[in-house]
């Protein structure tokens, strides 16, 4: 199996750029992408069991890997939720499949989002990991629009080995993740107000 394009780009271009930018002497200190987690929760759906099956099918199409079903840890009467009931689906992508998914996300999925101006750059967790949510699955080219039974929201979590948010942001920016430029957005808001 050949090396994914984005993995080759990471080794050839991103590692030297980050080494220079972050000032690391040891190449093992340079942050790397460890996994991508795609998750969906169907907790509010009235027909939860069928909704979870739909989420599993959609995530399978998007990622090319069968997701595991997540279950509730405790019962919540207000949400009519029993302990151990199926709630959603999640899949962890590693290795070549992770690189292929990221490549498709950057080059095909993100540009297809209507009125897309970049993904928010503030969704870091303090440890260099980044999460972004999408309201429906129609942005993914693997989904046939006439086959959609229900709208399913997704979270995509990029787990990195970075120690800080700045390192994580530098890594994901070098990989080509289309972040919204905060300065441009502020300028556009000020221009609209004037």
């Amino acid at each position: 199996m050949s090396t994914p394009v984005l993995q080759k780009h990471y080794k050839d271009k991103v590692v030297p750029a980050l080494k220079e930018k972050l000032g690391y002497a040891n190449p093992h200190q340079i942050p790397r992408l460890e996994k991508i987690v795609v998750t969906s929760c169907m907790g509010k759906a009235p027909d939860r069991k069928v909704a979870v099956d739909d989420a599993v099918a959609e995530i399978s199409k998007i990622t090319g890997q069968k997701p595991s079903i997540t279950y509730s840890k405790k019962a919540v009467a207000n949400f009519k939720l029993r302990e151990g009931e199926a709630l959603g689906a999640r899949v962890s992508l590693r290795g070549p499949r992770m690189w292929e998914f990221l490549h498709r996300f950057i080059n095909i999925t993100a540009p297809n989002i209507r009125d897309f101006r970049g993904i928010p750059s503030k969704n870091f967790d303090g440890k260099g990991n980044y999460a972004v949510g999408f309201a429906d699955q129609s942005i993914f080219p693997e989904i046939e629009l006439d086959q959609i039974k229900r709208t399913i929201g997704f979270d995509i979590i990029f787990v990195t080995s970075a120690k800080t948010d700045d390192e994580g942001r530098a890594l994901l920016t070098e990989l080509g993740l289309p972040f919204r430029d905060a300065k441009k957005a502020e300028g556009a808001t000020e221009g609209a107000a004037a």
Side-chain angles (χ1 to χ4, degrees):
M1 193 173 166
S2 63
T3 307
V5 175
L6 208 55
Q7 187 175 7
K8 193 172 183 317
H9 171 72
Y10 171 75
K11 287 177 181 168
D12 298 345
K13 302 269 185 350
V14 175
V15 169
L18 288 176
K19 193 173 181 181
E20 188 178 314
K21 195 178 203 176
L22 302 171
Y24 285 137
N26 187 337
H28 297 291
Q29 290 177 301
I30 295 166
R32 65 189 177 283
L33 192 60
E34 294 184 335
K35 64 180 175 178
I36 296 175
V37 180
V38 181
T39 180
S40 180
C41 182
M42 304 306 295
K44 291 183 179 173
D47 54 342
R48 205 174 287 130
K49 187 164 178 19
V50 179
V52 168
D53 291 342
D54 290 345
V56 167
E58 300 289 79
I59 291 176
S60 296
K61 285 181 198 169
I62 291 164
T63 61
Q65 186 172 315
K66 191 172 189 323
S68 59
I69 295 174
T70 55
Y71 297 94
S72 62
K73 291 186 174 120
K74 59 183 180 181
V76 181
N78 289 348
F79 298 118
K80 297 185 174 93
L81 183 66
R82 294 187 187 103
E83 187 177 340
E85 194 172 349
L87 263 185
R90 63 176 291 176
V91 65
S92 296
L93 302 169
R94 291 181 173 87
R97 215 172 244 158
M98 170 188 78
W99 290 110
E100 292 294 340
F101 176 81
L102 183 60
H103 184 76
R104 285 195 322 270
F105 177 76
I106 291 169
N107 296 304
I108 300 168
T109 305
N112 280 341
I113 300 171
R114 195 173 359 153
D115 299 331
F116 184 67
R117 293 184 186 91
I119 54 178
S121 58
K122 296 179 180 175
N123 299 356
F124 283 88
D125 67 350
K127 295 176 185 155
N129 304 316
Y130 178 76
V132 63
F134 295 99
D136 73 303
Q137 72 273 37
S138 65
I139 62 167
F140 294 97
E142 295 87 357
I143 303 295
E144 295 173 33
L145 296 176
D146 56 341
Q147 300 291 320
I148 295 176
K149 294 179 192 168
R150 71 179 75 230
T151 302
I152 297 170
F154 291 95
D155 287 328
I156 301 175
I157 301 134
F158 300 91
V159 180
T160 69
S161 66
K163 302 280 187 281
T164 65
D165 287 350
D166 291 336
E167 286 181 5
R169 190 176 288 109
L171 167 67
L172 295 173
T173 303
E174 288 291 334
L175 283 171
L177 222 61
F179 285 115
R180 192 178 300 146
D181 190 359
K183 291 178 186 120
K184 278 186 189 172
E186 284 170 16
T189 310
E190 286 167 12

